[in-house]
Every structure is written in C-alpha cells, then in structure tokens.
Amino acid sequence: MAKKSASELADELAGLGEEIVKRATAETRKYVAQEIEEQFLGTPRAARKTYCGRTPDDCIMDALTDDEAASLKDARLQAVRERFEEDGPSDDFRAGILFAVRLFADPTFDY
C-alpha cells in the first residue's frame, strides 16, 4: 500500500468535508421544511399541543400579525393579512406555503 502525500490527504479530507456539509444541509432543510409544513398546514403527525393547541390557520394569522417579524412587514403580506382577518387563509395561500416548503426541502432544487 503506497503512502499518500500530504496534498493527497488534504484533497481527500476536503472532499469529505464537502460531503458532510452537503448532507447536513440537506437534512437541515428537510427538517425545517417539515416543521413549517406541520405548523402552517397541519399534517397527520403534527401534535397541535406543540403549537399551544393553535390550528394551522391560527398559526398563519399569528405569523402575519407578528409585530416582531421584520420579514413580514412587506405591504403585500399586510394586505393578505387584512383579507384573511374575516375568512381566514385561502387555499391558494396554503398552496403557496406548500410550494415553498417542498422547494426548500428538495436538496436538488438549485436556487
């Protein structure tokens, strides 16, 4: 068995490091997407006690009215919130959440 040079070992370690980052990123994206889907869309495995008994629609409205969330200060989202105050979130809005969640969870999707 031939000894590897320091350069060859460094290249091998760099490759392993890249693979670890790739796998960790994919796993993190999967679990973050799963949590968002459970909270805002509900799934059979979602335990509503995790969300203080709030329904997915309640969680959507809570997020849209969160004064601390600077990312939700967008005028378009504020207009959506106003529309939803009476009848709750629309099916199209929920579909948009699902679309975003599934793209986020897909490790092959290149944004």
Side-chain angles (χ1 to χ4, degrees), residues 17-92:
E18 288 175 13
E19 184 62 27
I20 289 168
V21 168
K22 180 180 168 185
R23 288 182 183 192
T25 300
E27 187 173 350
T28 300
R29 286 173 62 168
K30 172 187 167 186
Y31 289 118
V32 168
Q34 189 177 59
E35 180 65 26
I36 291 169
E37 186 173 349
E38 286 179 3
Q39 181 175 1
F40 295 110
L41 301 175
T43 63
R45 68 180 172 273
R48 295 320 299 173
K49 66 181 178 184
T50 303
Y51 311 107
C52 300
R54 309 284 288 163
T55 68
D57 284 358
D58 293 337
C59 291
I60 290 170
M61 293 304 293
D62 290 347
L64 288 172
T65 58
D66 184 356
D67 291 331
E68 304 286 321
S71 60
L72 298 176
K73 297 285 187 228
D74 187 292
R76 294 170 294 187
L77 290 174
Q78 296 306 307
V80 164
R81 185 199 72 214
E82 289 171 11
R83 279 197 339 254
F84 293 167
E85 282 179 350
E86 222 173 280
D87 298 324
S90 67
D91 288 339
D92 287 348

Side-chain angles (χ1 to χ4, degrees), residues 97-108:
I97 292 172
L98 181 60
F99 177 72
V101 162
R102 295 295 166 84
L103 287 178
F104 183 78
D106 183 354
T108 64

